[in-house]
Amino acid sequence: MNRRRIPWLYFTVPRNFYWLVQRLVPLIWAVAAVLAVAGLYVGFFVAPPDYQQGNSYRIMFIHVPTAWMGMFLYALMAVYAVIFLAWRIKMADVMARSLAPTGALMTALSLWTGALWGAPTWGTYWVWDARLTSTLLLLFLFLGYMALYAAIDDREKGARAAALLALIGVINVPVIYFSVEWWHTLHQGMSISPSGGASMAPSMLAALLLGTGACWAYCAAVTLRRAQTELLEREDSTGWTRTVSTDDAPPAPRGVAVPTGRRN
Amino acid sequence: MKKRHKRLTIILGALAGLAIATALVLNAMRDSMVFFVTPSEVMAMSEMPERSFRIGGLVEQGSVERDQNSADVVFHVTDTDKSVVVTYSGILPDLFREGQGVVAEGRIDSNGTFHANKVMARHDEEYMPAEAQEAIERAGHPPDAGEGY
């Protein structure tokens, strides 16, 4: 295609993407580790106990980032689904498929940590209020996407069906986000909102944002790694995958024949 | 129109249609999607529901009476306008206290007394250090816990 006119399509070429990720992922892991250590330190040792809940509120430093990531990853997956359905860009499908398991993990973690917090605070692990129910639906959408993709033998057909499901389910994301505003829920309202700022102490907010950064970096790292694996599997018949070894080999410059066999 | 632009138009059009349909359905189901009703909403009902439902609001200041010999407790749930008497027998959650949010599940009798079989505390979205809360109380400005209702 006209790659010279639109240079940002360069990384939609599997081989170029593979080597970009190969270089990026160690950096992203480092960012995740630093932010996680900083976030946990601030969360456990700097942020003070809450005036009502004492120490149990600290679970929100994991609960809120994972809940946000669940919604964010689903929205991202839907964006890739649109790109795949409209432009038929193969890499968009690879990215959408790679996001789903991590999104499911984040959503499951937010439900689980929420239940652990709900038991002492509300007096119940689970209620069927709008926020909790729509978040459970988000988990099922992630799992449904993965199941639908895997259930159809023809990869292209499976990819399209799953992308369509991802797209339909994206309606649920704003419903989750605004559920606490639209209906009476047991779940409390937004502590951090675009309009109202944050109703918590600065050190609590710092721990929350550091945790969010750590979660984001973790999700980016594992998703990109999964996309790499998916590419190696799909592109098995093409030449470039054979240049990949466990060592970091540089990408072959354009116009130069791709060497085959392991590089040592 | 290029083929991919046509596909994009179809996708975005379908998504917009789906969004509108969802909005209409959720709006129609507004009443059945609330987790609890407020005392004012209960008072406004023409007849008291016989089935079990949930009532939510704040535990009225000074209304909690505990029985010394059992786990029975009586309190008022208020939305600062109307209030409903709630009776309950059992263990209350940690966050149950006067002035804080609460959701009770049970039935209402003909006298308007709500017999709860489950009581849940409802937390508001404020988080602050204990010292800040003490400072606010010393200054004589209690935080209004009624926000968010």
Side-chain angles (χ1 to χ4, degrees), chain A residues 1 32 72 85 117 120 160 172 184 193 234 237 257:
Chain A
M1 247 183 54
F72 172 67
L85 288 175
W117 177 83
R160 261 183 248 170
N172 190 36
H184 300 313
S193 65
R234 283 190 193 202
S237 56

Side-chain angles (χ1 to χ4, degrees), chain A residues 48-53 85-87 121-122 124 127 129 167 171 184-191 199-201, chain B residues 4 7-8 11 15 18-19 22 35-36 41 93 95 97 100 118 120-123 125 127-130 133:
Chain A
D50 179 62
Y51 77 117
Q52 287 285 355
Q53 304 177 43
L85 288 175
W87 281 272
T121 315
W122 292 340
T124 179
V127 290
D129 83 347
L167 205 53
I171 298 290
H184 300 313
T185 53
L186 186 61
H187 195 286
Q188 64 267 34
M190 298 175 198
S191 295
S199 52
M200 62 177 73
Chain B
R4 59 171 178 268
R7 281 199 295 256
L8 188 64
I11 291 167
L15 204 59
L18 187 69
T22 312
F35 186 67
F36 58 83
E41 285 164 355
L95 271 190
R97 55 197 71 167
Q100 279 288 309
K118 190 173 187 182
M120 290 165 280
R122 189 178 183 278
H123 185 254
E125 62 272 30
Y127 296 86
M128 64 171 108
Q133 163 68 4

Side-chain angles (χ1 to χ4, degrees), chain B residues 89-110:
Chain B
S89 181
I91 296 165
L92 293 163
D94 285 359
L95 271 190
F96 180 89
R97 55 197 71 167
E98 292 178 356
Q100 279 288 309
V102 71
V103 175
E105 190 175 321
R107 288 167 202 278
I108 199 159
D109 66 17
S110 51

Side-chain angles (χ1 to χ4, degrees), chain A residues 99-149:
Chain A
L99 282 166
T102 305
L105 174 70
M106 288 293 130
T107 310
L109 278 176
S110 74
L111 288 169
W112 184 45
T113 51
L116 292 181
W117 177 83
T121 315
W122 292 340
T124 179
Y125 285 104
W126 179 263
V127 290
W128 293 98
D129 83 347
R131 173 53 77 76
L132 277 66
T133 310
S134 56
T135 307
L136 186 66
L137 181 63
L138 183 72
L139 177 62
F140 290 154
L141 281 169
F142 275 123
L143 298 178
Y145 174 92
M146 289 155 68
L148 186 60
Y149 207 122

Side-chain angles (χ1 to χ4, degrees), chain A residues 160-227:
Chain A
R160 261 183 248 170
L164 204 59
L165 175 67
L167 205 53
I168 293 166
V170 80
I171 298 290
N172 190 36
V173 173
V175 173
I176 298 174
Y177 189 76
F178 292 108
S179 55
V180 292
E181 306 258 301
W182 291 345
W183 300 289
H184 300 313
T185 53
L186 186 61
H187 195 286
Q188 64 267 34
M190 298 175 198
S191 295
I192 299 171
S193 65
S195 51
S199 52
M200 62 177 73
S203 57
M204 297 174 180
L205 183 63
L208 194 57
L209 294 181
L210 286 168
T212 306
C215 260
W216 178 84
Y218 165 82
C219 291
V222 291
T223 303
L224 290 172
R225 268 284 188 254
R226 197 174 290 118

Side-chain angles (χ1 to χ4, degrees), chain A residues 213-263:
Chain A
C215 260
W216 178 84
Y218 165 82
C219 291
V222 291
T223 303
L224 290 172
R225 268 284 188 254
R226 197 174 290 118
Q228 276 188 316
T229 316
E230 173 98 12
L231 274 183
L232 290 184
E233 209 179 288
R234 283 190 193 202
E235 303 272 304
D236 196 32
S237 56
T238 60
W240 71 269
T241 54
R242 260 168 280 147
T243 66
V244 173
S245 73
T246 47
D247 309 318
D248 277 13
R254 268 182 288 173
V256 175
V258 179
T260 53
R262 270 171 178 268
R263 290 183 168 208

